[in-house]
Amino acid sequence: MSASALKDLNISQPVDLDKGKDDSMKSCISKPVLNGSKCANKEENAPSACPDAVTNGNEAVIADVEYIDSENLVDLPDVDATLRTLVKRLDSKDWIMTCEALNNVRQLAIYHKERLQELLEPLVPLIVKSVKNPRSAVCKTALMTCADIFKAYGDLMVDSIDPLLVQLFLKASQDKRFVCEAAEAALISMTNWISPSLLLPRMQPYLKNRNPRIRAKASVCFSKSVPRLGVEGIKEYGMDKLIQIAATQLSDQLPESREAARNLALELQVIYEKSQASTSGENEGEPSASPDAESWEAFCQSKLSALSAQAILRVTSTTPKDGVTAGVTSAPKEGVAVGC
């Protein structure tokens, strides 16, 4: 073989290799997948390797996972067949099958909630297991499932919510943005659709959790849920108990907890002062009690230690209260996002 022919061969080989490499990289990019007539959201990335690819000889089969918004989920073609295998598929070691089963749970919660309700008890631990899954696709799909079952079953989820709470608080404080956003959405759904009188006692222990991130997320959800009690609900729950919680969280390690405590203190101040004003109006013809006994300052000093009362009063006397009263005197409508 001539020297010129060898030179041409050496030049062509790297070009072919580079072209093959580019083609294999392109095959790793996830594409949108249709759910019925709707387009599902997908994570698109081009990693250096294909972690979810299954090799078959020289070809790679890409395992795609659909992230389908609730409003885009369609009904199941065969509900009975889905229900028969649902628990087994949720507990499968095949993560693709698990994701499909989680989406089936969401479809059943939307279109066949009465039939799915019978399986809630064995399903919740499996959903928790999926939320804890180290694979982000499984975790996110499970978090989306939580949001849908909270909306579908509301107060019926209270007895099963404890194992879910700690995971939701943890995932909402994760660094992975798309997992964090899904957890936040699940927490919003939880606070919207579960009665605050039932939910607040469940969340309260997490305000003292050793993990500061869990405390922070619990504090935010707690402070957002309190206004949904309404004036009478707050009185029943205990104004003194709530102001003590706010005072404790004001000295927390993370700014997120402290900000939630400030918001809670402001909410409580508005409600307390309004309730005192309405009481004075009702007893207008009677001799009024001492003004100091009815003041917010006197209330805080009577229920808190000197240092805690000082901290609460400093926050409520220096922070503008404009806009804080929105949603305080009456609980927001169900389904309206309150944020967590």
Side-chain angles (χ1 to χ4, degrees):
M1 185 179 290
S2 66
S4 60
L6 286 172
K7 183 177 179 181
D8 292 340
L9 181 60
N10 290 334
I11 292 173
S12 64
Q13 284 179 342
V15 173
D16 292 339
L17 288 173
D18 290 341
K19 182 178 179 181
K21 183 178 179 182
D22 290 341
D23 290 341
S24 65
M25 288 293 291
K26 289 178 182 178
S27 69
C28 292
I29 301 177
S30 301
K31 301 295 182 184
V33 175
L34 294 179
N35 171 49
S37 60
K38 305 292 184 180
C39 184
N41 295 327
K42 299 182 61 61
E43 299 296 324
E44 291 199 9
N45 47 38
S48 57
C50 297
D52 298 334
V54 180
T55 58
N56 180 20
N58 295 326
E59 297 181 357
V61 179
I62 307 303
D64 286 338
V65 175
E66 302 177 57
Y67 299 128
I68 311 169
D69 293 334
S70 300
E71 59 269 21
N72 292 339
L73 285 167
V74 298
D75 198 358
L76 291 160
D78 191 340
V79 177
D80 292 330
T82 301
L83 285 169
R84 278 196 300 270
T85 61
L86 188 60
V87 173
K88 183 178 180 180
R89 288 184 293 120
L90 277 174
D91 202 24
S92 172
K93 294 181 179 179
D94 181 345
W95 68 274
I96 296 293
M97 183 178 291
T98 301
C99 287
E100 290 174 351
L102 287 166
N103 279 328
N104 290 160
V105 173
R106 300 174 64 204
Q107 290 168 294
L108 289 164
I110 293 171
Y111 295 102
H112 306 278
K113 58 183 292 185
E114 293 80 10
R115 298 194 63 182
L116 182 65
Q117 186 175 339
E118 302 172 2
L119 291 175
L120 275 183
E121 186 175 348
L123 284 184
V124 170
L126 295 175
I127 294 172
V128 173
K129 180 181 176 181
S130 293
V131 172
K132 295 163 68 175
N133 194 297
R135 189 179 290 275
S136 298
V138 178
C139 177
K140 177 173 178 175
T141 308
L143 291 169
M144 297 172 76
T145 305
C146 291
D148 286 330
I149 62 175
F150 287 146
K151 182 176 180 179
Y153 298 107
D155 292 351
L156 295 176
M157 291 296 300
V158 168
D159 292 336
S160 308
I161 205 170
D162 287 336
L164 276 173
L165 273 175
V166 65
Q167 292 303 319
L168 292 177
F169 292 146
L170 277 173
K171 299 303 179 184
S173 59
Q174 265 202 4
D175 295 330
K176 291 183 180 179
R177 182 178 175 182
F178 77 107
V179 171
C180 179
E181 289 174 349
E184 292 277 2
L187 288 172
I188 289 172
S189 179
M190 177 186 74
T191 54
N192 280 351
W193 297 103
I194 298 180
S195 301
S197 58
L198 300 175
L199 185 59
L200 288 173
R202 300 284 183 170
M203 290 194 292
Q204 191 169 336
Y206 295 98
L207 300 175
K208 298 180 180 180
N209 194 279
R210 292 182 179 181
N211 188 323
R213 291 189 173 189
I214 291 179
R215 288 200 308 271
K217 292 301 177 182
S219 296
V220 173
C221 285
F222 193 93
S223 68
K224 295 291 186 181
S225 296
V226 168
R228 296 189 65 237
L229 286 169
V231 175
E232 294 304 319
I234 286 177
K235 288 180 180 179
E236 291 178 11
Y237 195 87
M239 178 74 76
D240 53 345
K241 183 192 299 185
L242 291 170
I243 197 61
Q244 288 166 6
I245 290 172
T248 301
Q249 297 306 111
L250 268 180
S251 59
D252 195 81
Q253 176 182 347
L254 292 184
E256 193 174 6
S257 292
R258 299 195 296 271
E259 181 62 26
R262 281 192 286 269
N263 292 335
L264 178 57
L266 288 167
E267 299 277 11
L268 295 175
Q269 181 190 19
V270 171
I271 288 183
Y272 181 82
E273 291 177 346
K274 284 192 173 184
S275 65
Q276 292 299 308
S278 62
T279 302
S280 299
E282 292 173 0
N283 302 328
E284 190 173 351
E286 301 176 6
S288 60
S290 169
D292 290 338
E294 296 180 348
S295 70
W296 170 249
E297 181 178 356
F299 171 76
C300 291
Q301 290 173 344
S302 66
K303 302 299 181 182
L304 302 170
S305 66
L307 287 176
S308 295
Q310 185 179 7
I312 289 289
L313 292 171
R314 183 166 58 248
V315 166
T316 54
S317 62
T318 60
T319 307
K321 294 185 282 295
D322 293 343
V324 175
T325 59
V328 172
T329 56
S330 62
K333 294 180 181 179
E334 287 189 339
V336 178
V338 295
C340 277

